[in-house]
Amino acid sequence: MIQPDDFARQAARRRSPPELVMSVVMLRRKRIPMRQIASRHGLCMEGVRQILLRYSKAQSSAAPDAEADADAECDDGLMAGFREAMPAGHPVSMNAIWSGLERWRNIDAMRPQ
């Protein structure tokens, strides 16, 4: 079992104990996508993101040269690549594709013959 560090204890909540936080952080450091981490631990992707944000915030508050801003985050690579690609056929991406195609179809219909 992974021993949680002080940052994991600070980032822990009632539903995410320090051991879970440390496990999520270690998997993310191995560059495993957030979706896979979420499925391994029975969480949603937003839950994984929140755990990583709390962990980063705990790290940045302990840094000696931390900014005075409360939103300052330590770039440990945990949040790198947060914007992961949507799976093929995702409703949001399909909506965007169809609306783009409809726009081009309407442009052709508006051209003078």
Side-chain angles (χ1 to χ4, degrees), residues 39-53:
S39 65
R40 282 187 189 184
H41 292 293
L43 301 169
C44 62
M45 198 170 102
E46 179 63 20
V48 171
R49 189 182 77 81
Q50 289 294 322
I51 288 172
L52 293 173
L53 283 174

Side-chain angles (χ1 to χ4, degrees), residues 4 15 33 46 49 51 55 57 59-60 89 99 107-108:
R15 298 188 82 183
E46 179 63 20
R49 189 182 77 81
I51 288 172
Y55 188 86
K57 190 174 268 191
Q59 273 186 324
S60 67
S99 65
I107 288 175
D108 288 340

Side-chain angles (χ1 to χ4, degrees), residues 30-45:
K30 292 178 184 177
R31 301 286 188 225
I32 295 176
M34 286 190 217
R35 281 190 180 91
Q36 287 182 8
I37 295 171
S39 65
R40 282 187 189 184
H41 292 293
L43 301 169
C44 62
M45 198 170 102

Side-chain angles (χ1 to χ4, degrees), residues 96-111:
I97 290 170
W98 282 112
S99 65
L101 289 173
E102 288 174 3
R103 182 175 31 153
W104 283 107
R105 183 179 65 180
N106 291 338
I107 288 175
D108 288 340
M110 295 170 61
R111 279 192 191 153

Side-chain angles (χ1 to χ4, degrees), residues 1-49:
M1 191 61 159
I2 301 169
Q3 292 299 321
D5 59 6
D6 291 333
F7 304 127
R9 288 186 189 92
Q10 290 176 11
R13 297 287 186 267
R14 181 171 36 101
R15 298 188 82 183
S16 55
E19 293 80 16
L20 175 68
V21 172
M22 201 65 213
S23 176
V24 166
V25 168
M26 296 307 289
L27 289 173
R28 189 61 185 163
R29 284 183 178 156
K30 292 178 184 177
R31 301 286 188 225
I32 295 176
M34 286 190 217
R35 281 190 180 91
Q36 287 182 8
I37 295 171
S39 65
R40 282 187 189 184
H41 292 293
L43 301 169
C44 62
M45 198 170 102
E46 179 63 20
V48 171
R49 189 182 77 81

